[in-house]
Amino acid sequence: MAYRQQPVQDELETMAETELSRLKRQYRIMENDRATCVEDARLQLRNQQNRIDRLEYEKAELVLAIKTAKSKSFARKDTEMDEKLRCLLEKRAKYIDMIENEKRQIAELDEQIGKLSKEVGSLKSKVRSDTQLRDLAVRHSKMVFMLENRVEVATKRFNLVVAENAKLRAEIETLLKERAQFTIMWNKLIGQLNTGKQIINDLIEQATITFNQRDEELNKIQALRERGIRDLNSHTSEMCELKRTLDNEMKLQEFLGVKGQYREMADLNAKKEADRQAKREEKQNKIEAFTHILQTIKQFTGEQEIDKLTAHFVKQEEENFALFSYVNELNDELESLQLRMEQLTAAIDEARVQNVHHDQEQAETLEKITKQLEEQTALADTAEEDLTKCNDVMEKLLQGIDALFKSIGCDNSPILELLGDNTHVTMSNVMLYLGIIEKQITEMFHKIYWVDKATKPPQLRLDESRKPRLKVPALTRIVPTQPCALCVEEEQMQFVSEGLEAPLTRAEAMQKLRQRLEDDYAELLHNVSGCHLPAARKIMQRRYQ
């Protein structure tokens, strides 16, 4: 037990020592930190004290400087210094502006000098010798001559092409008009053709519908015929059966009648025999008549068998009935076709009337066009005659110009290169000749004028007597001054109205002008210095300030 407690105490002592050493180390660190903080605080307090002392010293100096500056002598010096600084600043700004202007002028001059130097260099490079200039002039003259010839040839070709184009244009216009008329006629004929095709299609459709209806009716007739034959056969068999039954009944009745007779009567028997004989003769006559008719039919048809005759009769009857039906249908179709024909006839008559009207319009149009053509032809003939006269007059004028050119001794050497081979006066070179003639006549007038002036004494002009004898006074003498602007403005402001302004009529304007001319406006003729208005005094005060 004691052995176990000994290690525990050792551990506790070790832990206590460790804790004690840790606390001592922490205490030393804290002491060092406290000493450092105290030293820093002391240094900071010293610095702050030094700063406070320096600021106090500066404060004292500033207070002294302020007191000194507030004195009168320093205030006077400050004002003088301000004025000097202001003047110097103004001079500085002025000199800066002058320097900028000089710099701009120098830059502009440098730029102009550069441009001039470039132009001088280019001119020096372009300068040619006299020989080169002569060769160049000769080449230019040849080139001008060649180009003028080319221009003349091109002009002639152009004129030919223009004339040909005019002819082609006229022909094209004529063809276009004909094409327009052809198009109108073509469209009209196409419309008529379409109308005819539509009518034909309608007729075909109606015929198809009618044929289909005919087939349906024939089928119905055939069905009715077969039904009638069946009904006839059934009725015939029924009639035979009924006839057999009737015969049996008659025989039975006759038997019973004979059986029921108790006595015979001679008269009655004779009468019955006579009736029987009459009936027998009547039947015999009918048989003979029927036999005769049958023999006639056999002779007519050439057929001896009665069954074949009956079948042929039935067949013929059916054919007759079919023909009768067909005839009825044809009559209906004929009526419808007649109605359609009447409609078509009316349409044809209407179209014929329209064609006649159209032909009349075309004839009238053609007549108008013919008249216009005659008028235009007459105008063209007149214009051609006028052109011929003008050409004759121009030819005479050109001949007169040529004669005048030669008579006054003009020289055509300056324009020989322009004239070429043609030295006569033409419409293309008449202006050149007229220019030379005008120049020659002007020179002749000048010579005559100077000769007359040198040889003849001066003479009075015809209009010398028309000159005014009285001296016109100066305008300043008539009107010494202009009207005062202020007085005129005040007068104009007096006419301001508060209502709606409207322009004056002619009578009102004339009346106002007369009234204004009657009033005396001499009081307005004075300068601003002689005006009595307050605005004039203000102007004079501003002038003399």
Side-chain angles (χ1 to χ4, degrees):
M1 188 68 181
Y3 179 74
R4 289 180 180 178
Q5 290 179 355
Q6 187 67 31
V8 173
Q9 290 179 358
D10 292 337
E11 289 179 1
L12 291 173
E13 289 177 359
T14 304
M15 291 175 64
E17 289 177 358
T18 304
E19 185 68 22
L20 180 62
S21 62
R22 187 180 65 78
L23 291 174
K24 285 180 179 181
R25 187 170 55 256
Q26 188 174 1
Y27 176 72
R28 283 196 303 272
I29 291 169
M30 291 177 68
E31 283 292 333
N32 292 330
D33 292 338
R34 186 180 67 79
T36 304
C37 290
V38 169
E39 185 65 24
D40 292 337
R42 187 171 59 79
L43 291 174
Q44 188 174 3
L45 289 172
R46 186 185 300 165
N47 291 330
Q48 290 178 356
Q49 187 63 37
N50 292 331
R51 189 177 296 173
I52 289 168
D53 294 338
R54 189 168 59 255
L55 291 173
E56 288 291 339
Y57 178 73
E58 290 178 357
K59 178 183 176 183
E61 287 183 353
L62 288 173
V63 169
L64 181 60
I66 288 168
K67 289 180 180 180
T68 306
K70 286 183 178 180
S71 63
K72 294 181 179 180
S73 60
F74 281 99
R76 194 181 305 111
K77 289 180 180 180
D78 290 337
T79 54
E80 292 177 358
M81 186 62 68
D82 291 337
E83 291 178 358
K84 288 181 180 180
L85 288 173
R86 192 178 294 108
C87 293
L88 291 173
L89 289 172
E90 290 177 356
K91 289 181 180 180
R92 180 177 177 275
K94 188 185 295 183
Y95 287 138
I96 288 171
D97 294 336
M98 292 173 66
I99 289 167
E100 293 294 332
N101 292 329
E102 292 295 331
K103 286 182 179 179
R104 284 196 296 271
Q105 291 179 2
I106 290 168
E108 291 177 357
L109 290 173
D110 291 337
E111 187 177 357
Q112 291 180 1
I113 288 167
K115 290 181 180 179
L116 291 174
S117 62
K118 289 181 181 179
E119 291 179 359
V120 168
S122 62
L123 290 174
K124 285 181 179 180
S125 62
K126 291 180 181 178
V127 171
R128 296 183 178 88
S129 62
D130 295 337
T131 306
Q132 292 177 352
L133 290 174
R134 283 195 297 272
D135 295 338
L136 184 62
V138 171
R139 285 199 301 272
H140 285 174
S141 62
K142 290 181 180 179
M143 183 63 69
V144 168
F145 181 72
M146 183 175 64
L147 292 175
E148 286 178 352
N149 290 332
R150 289 181 182 178
V151 168
E152 187 176 0
V153 173
T155 305
K156 290 180 180 178
R157 289 180 181 175
F158 177 73
N159 293 332
L160 293 174
V161 171
V162 168
E164 187 67 23
N165 287 337
K167 293 179 182 178
L168 293 175
R169 191 178 294 108
E171 187 176 357
I172 288 168
E173 290 178 356
T174 305
L175 292 175
L176 287 174
K177 291 179 181 178
E178 292 179 357
R179 180 175 176 272
Q181 294 177 359
F182 174 75
T183 304
I184 294 170
M185 294 295 295
W186 174 263
N187 293 329
K188 188 179 293 183
L189 292 174
I190 289 295
Q192 293 178 0
L193 180 62
N194 293 329
T195 305
K197 287 183 178 179
Q198 185 67 31
I199 293 169
I200 292 170
N201 292 328
D202 294 339
L203 291 174
I204 291 170
E205 186 176 359
Q206 291 177 3
T208 305
I209 293 170
T210 306
F211 186 76
N212 294 330
Q213 291 177 356
R214 176 178 173 276
D215 290 339
E216 291 177 358
E217 295 297 331
L218 288 175
N219 293 328
K220 289 180 181 179
I221 290 169
Q222 185 67 26
L224 290 173
R225 187 179 290 113
E226 292 176 356
R227 182 179 177 183
I229 291 170
R230 288 195 299 270
D231 293 340
L232 180 63
N233 293 328
S234 62
H235 292 163
T236 303
S237 61
E238 288 178 1
M239 287 296 292
C240 292
E241 186 68 26
L242 291 173
K243 189 175 181 180
R244 191 181 303 111
T245 304
L246 181 62
D247 291 339
N248 292 328
E249 291 291 335
M250 290 297 292
K251 287 179 181 180
L252 181 61
Q253 186 178 2
E254 186 178 357
F255 174 74
L256 291 175
V258 172
K259 188 178 180 180
Q261 290 180 0
Y262 294 101
R263 56 182 179 179
E264 294 182 0
M265 295 178 67
D267 296 333
L268 182 61
N269 292 329
K271 189 181 288 186
K272 288 181 178 179
E273 187 66 26
D275 292 335
R276 289 192 192 98
Q277 187 65 30
K279 289 180 180 180
R280 193 178 295 113
E281 289 177 358
E282 184 179 358
K283 289 181 181 179
Q284 190 67 31
N285 292 329
K286 287 182 179 180
I287 289 169
E288 290 177 358
F290 289 154
T291 303
H292 179 70
I293 292 169
L294 184 61
Q295 291 296 329
T296 304
I297 291 170
K298 287 180 179 180
Q299 291 177 2
F300 181 76
T301 57
E303 185 66 38
Q304 299 299 325
E305 294 181 1
I306 297 173
D307 295 333
K308 291 183 179 180
L309 284 173
T310 305
H312 182 70
F313 177 76
V314 172
K315 184 178 180 181
Q316 192 68 31
E317 188 68 21
E318 290 177 355
E319 289 179 357
N320 291 332
F321 183 75
L323 290 172
F324 177 74
S325 301
Y326 180 67
V327 168
N328 290 330
E329 291 176 358
L330 289 177
N331 289 327
D332 295 335
E333 290 181 359
L334 182 61
E335 290 178 357
S336 62
L337 289 174
Q338 286 178 354
L339 181 61
R340 185 63 181 170
M341 284 293 293
E342 291 177 358
Q343 294 177 357
L344 291 174
T345 304
I348 290 168
D349 294 335
E350 186 178 359
R352 187 178 292 110
V353 172
Q354 290 181 357
N355 290 329
V356 171
H357 182 66
H358 183 66
D359 292 338
Q360 291 178 357
E361 289 182 352
Q362 285 185 348
E364 292 176 357
T365 306
L366 184 61
E367 187 177 358
K368 289 180 182 178
I369 293 171
T370 306
K371 290 181 180 179
Q372 291 179 0
L373 179 62
E374 291 176 356
E375 292 176 358
Q376 295 297 327
T377 305
L379 292 174
D381 295 337
T382 306
E384 189 174 359
E385 292 177 358
D386 295 338
L387 180 61
T388 305
K389 292 179 181 179
C390 290
N391 290 330
D392 295 337
V393 173
M394 289 300 297
E395 187 66 27
K396 292 179 181 179
L397 287 174
L398 293 175
Q399 292 176 1
I401 291 169
D402 192 7
L404 179 62
F405 186 83
K406 293 177 180 179
S407 63
I408 62 177
C410 295
D411 186 14
N412 60 353
S413 58
I415 59 173
L416 282 176
E417 294 183 358
L418 298 176
L419 294 176
D421 297 334
N422 189 8
T423 58
H424 298 287
V425 181
T426 59
M427 291 297 296
S428 59
N429 58 13
V430 66
M431 297 306 297
L432 300 174
Y433 282 94
L434 288 176
I436 295 173
I437 291 170
E438 183 181 3
K439 186 176 180 181
Q440 185 69 20
I441 291 171
T442 304
E443 291 178 356
M444 292 171 68
F445 280 159
H446 288 170
K447 290 179 181 179
I448 292 169
Y449 173 73
W450 289 111
V451 170
D452 290 343
K453 188 175 181 181
T455 57
K456 292 183 180 180
Q459 295 179 359
L460 293 176
R461 293 175 58 184
L462 296 176
D463 57 351
E464 288 291 334
S465 60
R466 298 181 183 178
K467 291 184 178 180
R469 301 299 181 182
L470 297 176
K471 186 177 181 181
V472 179
L475 184 61
T476 56
R477 185 176 177 183
I478 298 173
V479 181
T481 182
Q482 294 181 355
C484 180
L486 299 175
C487 296
V488 172
E489 183 179 2
E490 183 183 7
E491 183 185 3
Q492 292 295 328
M493 292 298 292
Q494 291 177 0
F495 295 104
V496 177
S497 62
E498 296 180 356
L500 182 63
E501 291 288 341
L504 299 176
T505 60
R506 185 180 181 87
E508 292 175 353
M510 293 296 292
Q511 184 179 0
K512 191 172 182 180
L513 182 60
R514 292 193 191 95
Q515 184 179 359
R516 189 174 182 84
L517 291 174
E518 290 175 358
D519 295 338
D520 187 11
Y521 291 97
E523 59 182 7
L524 300 178
L525 298 175
H526 56 265
N527 295 326
V528 178
S529 59
C531 186
H532 61 279
L533 294 177
R537 290 196 293 273
K538 291 180 181 179
I539 292 172
M540 296 304 295
Q541 287 177 3
R542 286 198 299 271
R543 182 181 296 176
Y544 291 107
Q545 281 181 355

